[in-house]
Amino acid sequence: MLRLFGIVLAISLLLMGCTGDETTEGDKTPPFKPDLIHHLGDNGDGGTTYEITYPEGNTPVQIDDLNDDNNGIDAVSSGDWLRLQWAPFADSDVDFVRIYRFYKNALGIQGLTQIDSVRASEGVVYLDATLNTGGNTAINNEWYYYIDAYDTSGNHTVSDTVSYYLLEKPLIHEPYYHELVDANDLTFKWEILSSGSISKYRVLLFDENRQRIWQYDQTDTDPDQLYLTVDYTGSPLIGGTYYWRVDAFGEQDATLESGIGSESLETEFYVE
């Protein structure tokens, strides 16, 4: 990974050398190295602790409940996209970040490009919805990212890389969109993925406020039929609006340095 980062950094410096950016007179100190957060886990995994490195030392961050907003780089439900997350910057004068992406194949690093530039004030999360542009497809690829943080004087520092292997989305069938169901007869049904390399599926149920209220891990991922079904076994549901989805998790390849998975589209249904 260190060798890979060295190659990426060398290419990045070459790209930046062609932009005409120059550090202005005065402040010559680059920002402290930004921390682009790797995949910490998935919605429903429980809690975890990770460390952010700041000038004064490592700062532990305790997460009591991993969810879609706090788990680092991850797939998203809304499309064949990836969401990035970085830690708050140590320097108060960071102005903007440039976001870079690439993938790898037998020939090495491919498609290294700056995909966007965003103001630091816009937050610490970025959604990459451009994976299907160009000659490579979003799914069944491992995507790598790093960011370059610039301060108001033009000084800049590059982060380490993070990555995620994106699988195809599970296709959900029941309950279907806007279906009205009986609270005492709720069953979730979805198609198994054709890749054949899924270690488990996770069914997630959310209330009208999109708070997770139930989950079920299905590890029997290679049935004879085309579909999987799971009966709801949680607390009794009252009438109202609910949302559900299925997350897929791939068999972890020892050569991968990232998380691997996908999330189905989220579906709204009603309980009578």
Side-chain angles (χ1 to χ4, degrees):
M1 189 61 167
L2 291 177
R3 180 182 178 185
L4 173 62
F5 178 67
I7 296 173
V8 171
L9 180 59
I11 297 174
S12 300
L13 293 176
L14 179 61
L15 290 174
M16 291 182 291
C18 300
T19 63
D21 292 325
E22 296 182 0
T23 303
T24 58
E25 293 297 327
D27 178 16
K28 301 289 187 179
T29 304
F32 191 75
K33 185 177 180 178
D35 190 353
L36 191 53
I37 300 173
H38 64 85
H39 186 65
L40 300 174
D42 294 279
N43 197 327
D45 275 352
T48 191
T49 301
Y50 73 100
E51 291 188 340
I52 303 173
T53 301
Y54 287 128
E56 61 272 15
N58 290 347
T59 299
V61 176
Q62 174 67 39
I63 298 177
D64 295 326
D65 185 27
L66 284 169
N67 57 56
D68 296 328
D69 298 323
N70 63 13
N71 63 343
I73 183 174
D74 193 19
V76 297
S77 175
S78 46
D80 290 327
W81 308 333
L82 288 172
R83 192 195 87 254
L84 309 179
Q85 181 185 9
W86 52 88
F89 297 114
D91 302 87
S92 60
D93 63 343
V94 174
D95 186 22
F96 66 93
V97 296
R98 290 176 173 170
I99 303 171
Y100 293 85
R101 182 187 70 211
F102 62 94
Y103 62 95
K104 291 194 299 179
N105 60 23
L107 300 177
I109 292 174
Q110 302 293 325
L112 176 60
T113 184
Q114 177 186 328
I115 60 172
D116 210 342
S117 178
V118 297
R119 292 291 176 186
S121 59
E122 294 180 21
V124 296
V125 173
Y126 178 81
L127 181 64
D128 181 8
T130 66
L131 289 173
N132 272 321
T133 58
N136 215 19
T137 59
I139 62 174
N140 297 324
N141 274 304
E142 185 174 15
W143 297 98
Y144 292 80
Y145 295 86
Y146 63 92
I147 60 175
D148 194 3
Y150 281 74
D151 66 19
T152 53
S153 298
N155 307 295
H156 62 95
T157 306
V158 176
S159 73
D160 286 333
T161 60
V162 299
S163 60
Y164 195 90
Y165 191 98
L166 191 61
L167 299 174
E168 62 181 307
K169 288 181 174 296
L171 181 60
I172 58 181
H173 283 261
E174 297 175 6
Y176 54 80
Y177 186 61
H178 283 179
E179 182 179 2
L180 180 63
V181 301
D182 185 341
N184 299 312
D185 187 25
L186 177 56
T187 298
F188 301 99
K189 178 181 179 180
W190 68 97
E191 289 185 26
I192 65 169
L193 294 180
S194 59
S195 64
S197 60
I198 306 301
S199 62
K200 72 178 176 182
Y201 295 95
R202 175 171 293 167
V203 180
L204 295 165
L205 178 64
F206 305 91
D207 65 17
E208 62 182 5
N209 298 314
R210 292 218 168 46
Q211 296 297 309
R212 187 181 69 250
I213 58 175
W214 183 77
Q215 69 184 65
Y216 181 87
D217 285 356
Q218 174 59 270
T219 57
D220 181 10
T221 61
D222 189 25
D224 295 331
Q225 64 270 24
L226 296 177
Y227 304 96
L228 283 171
T229 59
V230 169
D231 293 330
Y232 175 69
T233 58
S235 301
L237 298 178
I238 62 173
T241 302
Y242 295 87
Y243 303 87
W244 80 286
R245 76 166 196 252
V246 177
D247 291 357
F249 302 93
E251 298 281 1
Q252 189 69 41
D253 189 324
T255 63
L256 295 179
E257 306 164 50
S258 65
I260 173 171
S262 65
E263 299 177 3
S264 76
L265 295 175
E266 189 177 89
T267 296
E268 175 184 310
F269 69 97
Y270 310 115
V271 168
E272 58 182 356

